[in-house]
Amino acid sequence: MPIKFNNKTKEFHIMNKHISYIFKILENGQLGHLYFGSTISHVEDFSYMEFVPHRGLSICSFEDNLSFSLEHIMQEYPCYGTSDFSEGVYQIKQKNGSIITDFRYDSHVVFMGKKKIDHGKMPGTFGEDNEVTTLEILLHDDVINADMILSYTIFENLPVIARHTRWVNKSDDCIRLTRALSANFHFDNSSYELVHLSGAWIRERHIEREKITSGIKSIGSTRGASSANHNPFMALCESNATEDNGRVYGFALVYSGSFYGGCEVSTHGTTRISMGIQPFNFEWKLEKNECFCTPEMLCVYSEQGFSAMTHTYHKLFKNHLMRGRWKDKPSPILINNWEATYFGFDEESIIKIAQEAKALGVELFVLDDGWFGNRNDDKTSLGDWFVNKSKLPSGIGGLGKKLVEDIGIEFGLWFEPEMISVDSDLFRQHPEWRIETPMRKASHGRNQFVLNFTNEEVIDYIFEKLAKIFRCSPISYVKWDMNRNISECYGSNLMNDCQGEFFHRYILGVYSLYEKLITEFPYILFESCASGGGRFDAGMLYFAPQGWISDDTDAVERLKIQYGTSMIYPLRSMGSHVSDVPNHQVIRNTSFSTRANVAYFGTFGYELNPLSLSEDEKLQMKKQIDWMKKYRNLIQYGLFYRLKSPFEGDGNIVAWMVVSEDKTRAILGVYQVLSRPNPNRTRIILKGLEGQKVYKIGASERQGDSLMSFGISLNDVFTGVNVSHVMEIIKGGSAFGKFGIGDFSSEIFEIVEKGREEYDIKNK
Ligand code: GLA
C-alpha cells in the first residue's frame, strides 16, 4: 500500500519508488506538512521533521504554549485568520459575516483508483486500480457544520501527486466560498527559482525564470480562459537546476478558465505554492448539502532537472489525462486553408487545394473559418452554424462526400461554438444569450461577442447545431476555436448574488459541451484553439488531444513557442504547421525546409496553398510528408530532450531531439537564427542515447557515449572566404538549406543504432 497512516504519530506517508510525501495531523486537528521529495524509507515516527519554532510576538493557538502558531508551521491547506496571516488557499464567508473557519481532522479513507473530478464535470487524471491510490481526508468545521475533503492521489510509477479539494455544506445556513484554490505545497526554505510560461497572442509560452524573494509573486488569468499571457503551470527549482540536474517541482493546473498561481515567500524564508480558480471576482454559494469541487493540481518532482520533469508530465498527460482513440494514434497530416484563402474560397477552390494536397500525401483537409452563414469577413454570422450555399453549393455533406469519397482525403471543419456575432440569425432570435451586464455597453473583440455558456439552454442549442452537421457529413476532425476573452461578465440566468460564479460556470459549460460531443462522436479528432494558444492547458487535453499552440506560424518564432510549450505538453498535442512566406505574422522569409524542420516537432501539417508552390517546392512538400509519416510515431511518442535553448545566452542556436524508448533511434533538430560573421565553434551535446551503442548519424558512425559527451560539432562555419561557395549560393538564389550558411537555416539529423537501419520505424 503506497499510503500509510500511523495512528500513534498521526502521520501520513504517501510514497512510491520515486517520491515520499509526508504530513501529519497537528495538535489543533489541522494538517501540517513535513516533507516532499525523493523516497524516504518508512519509519514509525517522522517527528524529527517537525519544526515548531518559538518566535517572539507570534499569535498562538493554545494557552501556555508560545510556539504553536500557524504562521510558522508548515501546513497542507492553510487559511487566513486564526494565527496565520497569509491569504491562505481558501476562505468561507458565513451568515454572520465572519470568514474565520476551523476545519479539523475527522477521518480518512484510502482506496485504489481515483474518483472523477466533480463527478466528471471537470477534467482530471485517471488511472486503473493497480495504477493509482487515493487518500481522502475529511476535515470538519463544527461551527459552520461543513466538511472539507482533501484528496491526494499517487501514481504507481510516476513522481506525481495529484490534489484537489471539496467542500460540503451540511448546515441549514448558506455559506460562500470566496477563495477555493486547489492545493498548497509548502517548503521550509526559499532557495529556489520560479519558472513559468508567459507571453501574449502570437508569442505564447515563453520561458521565464526568476529568483524568488519575500512577498507574493503571482501569475494568472482574469479573462475567462487560461490565456496566452500566463499558462497554468509553474515550477520551483534549485538555483543551479538545469535540464539534467537539480531538484525541480512542477505544478500544473488541470483547468482552462480564469486561474491563479501564487508563490509566497515568508519573511522567515518558507515558500508556499498554490494554484486554483482565480479568486478575484470569485464567489460560490453553497446551500445545505451542496458541494463544491476545485480543479485538480498536479505536482511533479524531479531530481534530474527539467528534462525529467518534462518526461513525467508527457507520460502523465498521455497515459492518464488524454482520452479517446486519437491519443494513441499519431496525428494525421493535415492542410488547413486559413492562411491560404482566409475568407475568400468557394467549393471549387477548396476541391482544387484538397486534390493537390492529397496528391502530395496530405491525409486531412481542414476547412477553416468562413463556410457558414454569410461569413465573408469577421464581422458576421458566428452562431449561424449552417452552410453558406453561395460559397459551398453542395453543402457540408456534399463537399464532405467529394473530399472523402472522390478525392480520398479526410474532412475537418472549423467552429467557434462559444461565440456570437451581432449580425447573425442567432443574435436576432436570442439577443439575451450574449454575455453582457445589464445597462452597460458590451465590448467587442474582433467584432464578436461571447455566448452565455453558463446557460444550459445555450449549450443544448449549440450542441444540436453542431451534432446535426456531424450526423450527416463525414467529418472526422474539428477545430474548436475561441477568439476573444470575456468582458462585462454577467449571467442573466444567474441570481444576483451568484454572479461571482460566472467564470467557473462558464468553463464548466464549455467542458459539458465538449463531453457531449466526444460522447456522441468518439471518432472525431478535436483540436482546441483560442486565437492559437489562448487556452492551451491540461484541462483542454482531457477533451482535445491536440491544440493549435499559436497563430504565429513563423519558423523562428515557433522555436521559442514550441520550446516553452514542450516543458509540460507532449509533442503529440502541439499543433504545428508549415505556412507560406513571407510569414503572415512577422513578414519573415524562411526556407521551406526550415519551416518543416520546426513543424516536424509537433502534429505537423500545412497552412498554405499547395497550388501556388513551385514544382520544386511541391517535390519538397511530398518528401516532407513522406518523412513525417515515417517518423511521426517516434516524434510524437518518443522522449523529448531540449538541448539548446532560445531563451539562454543569445539564443541564436536552438536544438532539440526525440529518442525512442528503446534508444535505437533518434531525430535531432538544429536551428540557427542569424548567420554570424566568423562565429565561435558550436557543439551540440546529445541526450538520451545508450552510451555503449554505436549509432549512424549521416554518413558517420559514432559511439553513444561520445555523442552524449563530445556531441556533434557544427563544423560548417561559413566565414565568407570561400568564393566558389558564395557563387554557388548566389546562383541558387538562396542561402537556405545548408546549416551554418544562412539566416534561419536548420538541419535534421536521423540517428539510428548501427545494424538497426531496417528495423520497422513505424513501431518506434
Ligand atoms: C483564429 C485561429 C486561426 C483561424 C482564425 C479564423 O485566429 O487561431 O487559426 O482559425 O481564427 O478566424
Side-chain angles (χ1 to χ4, degrees), residues 338 368-369 414 446 479 481 483 529 531-532 548 551 607:
W338 178 240
D368 210 279
D369 195 355
W414 180 96
R446 205 197 184 201
K479 178 174 172 188
D481 213 337
N483 279 322
C529 176
S531 306
W548 184 225
D551 270 352
E607 193 103 359

Side-chain angles (χ1 to χ4, degrees), residues 333-404:
I333 294 171
L334 66 80
I335 191 156
N336 177 304
N337 72 309
W338 178 240
E339 289 195 8
T341 65
Y342 292 104
F343 295 104
F345 60 84
D346 56 18
E347 187 173 298
E348 202 188 327
S349 57
I350 290 303
I351 294 285
K352 280 192 183 144
I353 293 175
Q355 272 166 339
E356 187 65 46
K358 169 73 187 177
L360 298 172
V362 171
E363 296 160 312
L364 165 68
F365 174 82
V366 179
L367 181 57
D368 210 279
D369 195 355
W371 58 267
F372 51 92
N374 289 315
R375 183 112 164 144
N376 295 315
D377 58 35
D378 63 15
K379 293 201 170 63
T380 168
S381 299
L382 291 168
D384 290 350
W385 301 114
F386 51 84
V387 73
N388 180 340
K389 285 259 179 168
S390 60
K391 275 181 172 170
L392 304 173
S394 325
I396 288 297
L399 174 64
K401 200 164 172 290
K402 288 181 190 173
L403 292 169
V404 176

Side-chain angles (χ1 to χ4, degrees), residues 402-462:
K402 288 181 190 173
L403 292 169
V404 176
E405 289 176 20
D406 303 347
I407 301 177
I409 196 164
E410 297 293 313
F411 181 29
L413 203 55
W414 180 96
F415 288 90
E416 205 178 350
E418 298 152 73
M419 297 295 153
I420 185 165
S421 306
V422 166
D423 181 11
S424 67
D425 288 358
L426 183 61
F427 188 77
R428 284 181 280 274
Q429 280 160 22
H430 287 292
E432 78 285 5
W433 283 2
R434 168 172 83 163
I435 293 174
E436 62 186 59
T437 299
M439 328 270 288
R440 309 268 171 208
K441 195 174 170 304
S443 310
H444 74 94
R446 205 197 184 201
N447 306 304
Q448 67 194 53
F449 298 86
V450 189
L451 282 169
N452 181 2
F453 262 42
T454 71
N455 181 349
E456 267 178 45
E457 210 190 332
V458 176
I459 293 168
D460 291 345
Y461 173 90
I462 296 292

Side-chain angles (χ1 to χ4, degrees), residues 16-33:
N16 63 19
K17 61 175 187 270
H18 306 286
I19 52 171
S20 277
Y21 189 99
I22 305 172
F23 60 99
K24 70 171 291 184
I25 305 165
L26 297 168
E27 280 164 77
N28 69 344
Q30 294 183 17
L31 301 179
H33 182 73

Side-chain angles (χ1 to χ4, degrees), residues 141-152:
D141 183 314
D142 288 338
V143 174
I144 59 172
N145 191 14
D147 287 344
M148 181 165 86
I149 300 110
L150 303 186
S151 169
Y152 298 77

